[in-house]
Amino acid sequence: MRAGLPEEADEPAIRRRLAELQLDHNDLEVAIQAIGQAPMPDMLVIRRLKRKKLALKDEIQQIKDRLTPDIIA
């Protein structure tokens, strides 16, 4: 699995990984805002951080989907 967890990982381990990813995602947002407020922001760094933030968001969503049970309507 892309999230770095084995398929049979227990739910507490998955939730810990989710919390770590969310914290990293929030840290990146703070860093992007701080760099953006500089008199001459480094747009290359901002683009790289945004790309990494997007990848974390995708991984977070995959884990959330994994934690949500499938409901057949």
Side-chain angles (χ1 to χ4, degrees), residues 17-61:
R17 177 69 177 150
L18 179 60
E20 291 171 5
L21 292 172
Q22 289 172 327
L23 182 60
D24 290 346
H25 185 270
N26 291 338
D27 289 346
L28 283 173
E29 178 60 30
V30 170
I32 291 167
Q33 289 179 2
I35 294 169
Q37 299 215 352
M40 295 199 56
D42 187 339
M43 297 310 291
L44 180 61
V45 171
I46 290 174
R47 278 195 302 267
R48 287 178 181 163
L49 292 176
K50 284 184 176 183
R51 196 173 302 126
K52 185 173 181 179
K53 184 179 162 201
L54 183 58
L56 285 175
K57 181 179 176 184
D58 291 344
E59 192 170 348
I60 288 167
Q61 190 57 51

Side-chain angles (χ1 to χ4, degrees), residues 5 8-20 63 67:
L5 296 170
E8 64 278 354
D10 59 348
E11 188 171 330
I14 295 170
R15 291 194 182 279
R16 281 191 302 273
R17 177 69 177 150
L18 179 60
E20 291 171 5
I63 292 175
L67 288 172

